Amino acid sequence: MAFTVTGLLTAWGIFGLRLLDLMPVAHNAIFGGMKHGVIVMDPEDRVVEINPAAQRMLDAGDAGIGSPVSALIRPWDSWQDAGNPRADLLRELRLESSRRWVEVAVSPLYNRAGDYAGRLAFLSDITERRQAEEARAAATRELDQFFNLTLDLLCIADAEGRLRRVNPQWSRTLGYDRGELEGRSLLDLTYKDDLAEAQAALTGLGQQKSAPAFVTRLRCKDGSWRSVEWRAAGVGGFIYAAGRDITERRQAEERLVTLSRKDALTGLYNRAWFEEEMRRVTQRPVGVILCDVDGLKLVNDTLGHAAGDELLKSAAHLITRCFRSRDVVARIGGDEFAVLLAPADEPLIESAVRRMRQGIADHNARPDLFPVHLSIGHFCLHDAAVPLAEALREADTRMYHEKINTRSASRNAIIRSFVDLYFQRQSGIAGASPRLRRIVDLLAARAGYPARKLPDLRLLVDLHDIGNIAIPDAVMHKKGPLTDEERGQVRLHCEVGRRIADAVPELAHIADLVLNHHEHWDGRGYPGGLKGEAIPLECRLLAVAEAYTAMTSGRPWRPAMTSAAALGEVRRCAGTQFDPRLAELLAEALSAEPTLAN
C-alpha cells in the first residue's frame, strides 16, 4: 500500500477509539487535526465518518455523512473489483474543480469478532508529486525529441563501451539498424589505428574521469569509414557521449594539406615542399636532377593550354616512374621538374637519368602519343659543408647547357609531330588530295598567278588546315550539324594554324595566308571579316578550288555532286563567298584536264 504503516495504525486507532467510544476528546483532536483525509464506511460503503481534511480535498463541505461514498468519489463504482469487492484499492483521483490530485488508499475493516465492518479510505494530496512527475515526463519528452532530431550521434554506453541506447542519427550516418548497434561494443566499429585512443578514453570515462575530445573512425555498414569527433562524460557507471560526423571537414583539411604540398595538375610535390625537403636533408652524398619540358610554350601557343597541360602530365608520369618511392619528385616551375635523391651516389643518379631518357625514347616511338622532350641536368653533392642549394644550381646549369644544344632538334621534332598529326587526321579527306593541288595549279595559271610564287601556294594548299589538330576528334568527325560552341571551336583552327606556321621559319611567310583562308568575298567570312581584294589572292584561289573539290567528293553522310552541279553552286556563290572572276575561270581551268571533273 502507498500510505505508511504509521498512517494505517493511526487510522485503525481512530476507528477503534470511535467504536469503543472511550476518549472522544482525543479522538476529535487526532481525527480532526490530521492533514490526510480519512473516510470511514459501513459495509454498504455509506459514509460513517469523514474528517475535515477529506472534506476539503473532495470539496464536500459539511455533507457526506450517511451518503454513498460514490457521491464524494465519482469513479468509485468503476474502481471496484466485482470478484473481490473487499479487496484493497489504490487509485489516483484528479479533482477538476480544484485541479488537484488525490491518492485514495482503501482497506477493509473488521470488528473484534473478525466480522467485516466496512472500509477505510485514506486520502493523500499528491498534487506536488504529480506535478513533479509531469515535469520530469515533459523534460524526458523534450530530451527524447532532441535525442531523435539532433544531427549528432548521441549514445549511452556502459563502462566497457557497449552501446545501451543510440539515437536515429547513428542509422542515418552509419547505415545500421538500431537493433544492430545497441548491445554492441563501440570498439567493434572503431578503425584499428584508433583503437588505443578510444580504449584509453573509455577507461577514463568508466572511472568517471573527464576525457578530452577525441576522434575515431567508425565503420559503416557498406564498409566505408566516417570520422567522428567525440565529447563524453562518465556518470554513475555509464558513459554519455555525443559524436559529430567530421568526415567532410577532415577530407577538406586533407585536401588543403595536399594543396599545400602538391601540384594540382600533376599530383607531384610543389616547389615549397621540395624546398622544405631540401632543408631537412643533411645526409651525404645526395643527388639532384632537374628536368625542363622542351617546347611547352609552343604547344600552349598553338594547341592551347589544355594540350600543354597534357604534355606536362605525360612528362610527370615519365619522370616519376624512374625513381624510388622515397625520392622526392616535384614540379618546381611551369615547365620544370626536380628530383631529390637521398642518399644517392653518381652511379645511382646516372642510372636514373638513363632510365628517363630510355622511357622518353620509348614514349616518342609510339605514333599515337604526343612526343615529350626533356632537357636534363644532374649533380651529386658529397661535401656536407656545401649547401644543397649549390647542387641545385649546378644541376640547373647543366640542364641549361643541354637545352641550348638540343633546342633546335626538340623544336623541329615538335613541329614535325604537328605536321604528322595533321596529315594523319587529313587522311581520306578530299581537301588534302592531289586532285585539289592540281585544280589550284590550273586555276592559278588561268588567273595569271606568278609561277615563281607557286611553291608558296602549294605549301598553303597542303597546310592551310593544320590548325585542325586543335579541334577535338568528336567535332572533326561529327556527321550531324554542329552546335554554336562546336562551330566556334572549328573557327579557331585558322588562328591556331597561323601560330604554328609562325613558329616554323620555313612556314612563317605563309602564316597570314593560313589565317585568312576562310574569308569571304562579301566580308562575311572569318576570322577577320576581310572583303574583296583585301583577301590575299592565294586564299581566294584556294577557296574556290577547295569548295568544288569538296562538293564533288563523297562523304559518309551525302553522295558526291556532279561536276556541273558543283560548278553551278560555285557560280551561285560568286560575289558572296567567292571571287566572281575566279568562279567563272574555274570551268575553263577544268576544261584543260577533263579527268579532274570526274
Side-chain angles (χ1 to χ4, degrees):
M1 300 297 288
F3 47 88
T4 65
V5 173
T6 301
L8 279 172
L9 292 174
T10 302
W12 176 250
I14 293 169
F15 188 63
L17 287 172
R18 183 185 182 285
L19 288 179
L20 295 175
D21 200 21
L22 290 176
M23 298 177 63
V25 175
H27 166 271
N28 291 335
I30 296 172
F31 194 67
M34 291 179 65
K35 70 175 182 177
H36 294 290
V38 179
I39 301 174
V40 181
M41 293 164 275
D42 63 15
E44 284 74 36
D45 286 346
R46 288 188 298 270
V47 177
V48 174
E49 191 161 2
I50 180 169
N51 75 341
Q55 289 176 325
R56 287 193 302 273
M57 289 182 193
L58 299 176
D59 196 21
D62 295 331
I65 302 299
S67 62
V69 74
S70 59
L72 298 177
I73 302 175
R74 299 293 182 187
W76 179 264
D77 292 337
S78 65
W79 289 357
Q80 306 311 305
D81 183 352
N84 185 12
R86 298 177 184 178
D88 290 344
L89 296 175
L90 181 64
R91 298 287 188 272
E92 291 182 356
L93 175 66
R94 178 173 171 81
L95 303 172
E96 296 299 332
S97 59
S98 61
R99 295 189 178 182
R100 300 190 70 79
W101 284 90
V102 175
E103 184 179 72
V104 181
V106 182
S107 292
L109 294 174
Y110 299 91
N111 60 24
R112 296 190 179 201
D115 298 325
Y116 177 63
R119 288 200 275 189
L120 175 71
F122 192 75
L123 286 67
S124 300
D125 188 332
I126 60 169
T127 303
E128 291 183 0
R129 190 187 81 190
R130 282 300 299 260
Q131 288 174 341
E133 289 173 352
E134 289 173 358
R136 284 195 298 270
T140 299
R141 286 193 299 272
E142 292 176 357
L143 180 60
D144 286 345
Q145 187 176 30
F146 171 75
F147 201 74
N148 292 332
L149 294 180
T150 181
L151 296 178
D152 288 338
L153 282 74
L154 302 183
C155 67
I156 302 172
D158 61 21
E160 287 73 40
R162 283 187 297 272
L163 298 169
R164 296 305 185 189
R165 184 182 177 190
V166 297
N167 70 335
Q169 188 62 25
W170 282 75
S171 296
R172 291 191 287 266
T173 301
L174 302 181
Y176 299 100
D177 294 333
R178 183 174 173 179
E180 296 176 287
L181 292 166
E182 292 180 347
R184 189 173 185 176
S185 173
L186 182 64
L187 299 177
D188 290 344
L189 304 172
T190 302
Y191 190 67
K192 61 179 182 179
D193 292 348
D194 301 336
L195 281 173
E197 184 177 7
Q199 183 63 71
L202 289 175
T203 300
L205 291 166
Q207 298 170 356
Q208 300 189 38
K209 296 178 180 178
S210 61
F214 62 98
V215 176
T216 62
R217 284 162 287 183
L218 300 182
R219 185 177 63 252
C220 299
K221 192 170 183 177
D222 63 7
S224 60
W225 296 89
R226 307 295 293 181
S227 294
V228 180
E229 183 178 50
W230 294 100
R231 299 278 195 290
V235 180
F238 287 93
I239 298 170
Y240 298 84
R244 178 156 298 178
D245 185 352
I246 60 168
T247 305
E248 282 70 27
R249 191 184 84 190
R250 273 289 180 93
Q251 291 172 345
E253 290 171 352
E254 290 170 0
R255 284 194 294 270
L256 288 174
V257 171
T258 298
L259 287 174
S260 69
R261 298 178 178 180
K262 296 292 185 76
D263 171 55
L265 177 65
T266 64
L268 301 181
Y269 289 113
N270 58 23
R271 185 183 189 94
W273 184 254
F274 184 81
E275 290 176 346
E276 182 65 26
E277 286 294 301
M278 286 182 62
R279 285 189 288 271
R280 278 197 284 263
V281 171
T282 57
Q283 62 197 119
R284 298 291 186 269
V286 61
V288 176
I289 301 175
L290 286 183
C291 307
D292 188 276
V293 180
D294 298 330
L296 177 62
K297 185 177 185 305
L298 175 61
V299 173
N300 283 335
D301 290 345
T302 54
L303 301 185
H305 286 275
D309 289 347
E310 290 302 315
L311 176 60
L312 286 170
K313 287 191 281 188
S314 295
H317 173 70
L318 290 171
I319 294 170
T320 304
R321 68 183 187 180
C322 298
F323 295 95
R324 303 167 296 185
S325 59
R326 67 187 181 195
D327 296 330
V328 180
V329 183
R331 181 186 176 205
I332 62 171
D335 56 1
E336 284 187 305
F337 296 86
V339 186
L340 182 62
L341 302 90
D345 54 16
E346 282 89 348
L348 188 146
I349 298 170
E350 291 168 359
S351 175
V353 171
R354 284 194 299 271
R355 286 196 300 273
M356 275 199 295
R357 295 194 191 281
Q358 185 58 53
I360 293 168
D362 294 342
H363 173 91
N364 293 346
R366 293 182 54 179
D368 58 319
L369 298 177
F370 195 84
V372 175
H373 298 276
L374 297 178
S375 297
I376 302 172
H378 62 278
F379 187 77
C380 183
L381 181 64
H382 293 267
D383 191 345
V386 177
L388 192 50
E390 292 298 323
L392 191 65
R393 279 192 284 273
E394 182 61 30
D396 184 66
T397 299
R398 296 181 181 186
M399 180 193 71
Y400 179 74
H401 288 160
E402 179 172 306
K403 193 174 189 70
I404 293 297
N405 293 331
T406 61
R407 175 178 293 172
S408 179
S410 296
R411 187 181 186 84
N412 289 341
I414 293 169
I415 295 299
R416 183 70 255 168
S417 69
F418 288 169
V419 175
D420 290 345
L421 178 59
Y422 169 64
F423 282 118
Q424 178 184 339
R425 296 184 69 175
Q426 290 293 101
S427 178
I429 298 177
S433 67
R435 179 168 171 251
L436 172 61
R437 300 187 196 106
R438 184 57 184 156
I439 292 174
V440 170
D441 278 355
L442 293 174
L443 183 58
R446 291 284 179 175
Y449 186 76
R452 60 181 174 79
K453 298 177 65 177
L454 278 175
D456 293 343
L457 179 59
R458 290 168 181 161
L459 196 58
L460 174 66
V461 172
D462 287 342
L463 297 175
H464 64 281
D465 276 335
I466 193 170
N468 282 350
I469 62 175
I471 301 174
D473 285 338
V475 176
M476 276 289 295
H477 301 296
K478 187 175 181 179
K479 295 181 179 180
L482 300 180
T483 65
D484 290 343
E485 181 181 357
E486 290 168 341
R487 279 192 290 272
Q489 290 177 311
V490 169
R491 290 191 170 202
L492 286 176
H493 83 279
C494 296
E495 177 59 33
V496 172
R498 183 194 66 81
R499 288 199 296 264
I500 294 174
D502 253 346
V504 183
E506 294 81 2
L507 301 179
H509 62 289
I510 67 165
D512 286 341
L513 302 180
V514 172
L515 176 67
N516 296 315
H517 75 274
H518 272 290
E519 300 288 359
H520 289 181
W521 183 260
D522 62 1
R524 295 183 181 180
Y526 64 88
L530 300 182
K531 185 176 181 180
E533 293 190 358
I535 304 169
L537 178 57
E538 294 86 351
C539 298
R540 287 180 275 149
L541 289 166
L542 175 61
V544 171
E546 186 176 32
Y548 173 83
T549 305
M551 287 187 285
T552 55
S553 302
R555 293 287 190 272
W557 60 92
R558 63 161 178 82
M561 295 174 63
T562 64
S563 177
L567 285 171
E569 185 66 16
V570 170
R571 291 192 184 96
R572 187 182 70 80
C573 294
T576 55
Q577 183 174 350
F578 307 122
D579 182 335
R581 185 173 74 92
L582 298 182
E584 290 299 325
L585 290 176
L586 179 61
E588 295 180 21
L590 292 172
S591 65
E593 292 187 26
T595 56
L596 293 175
N598 296 327

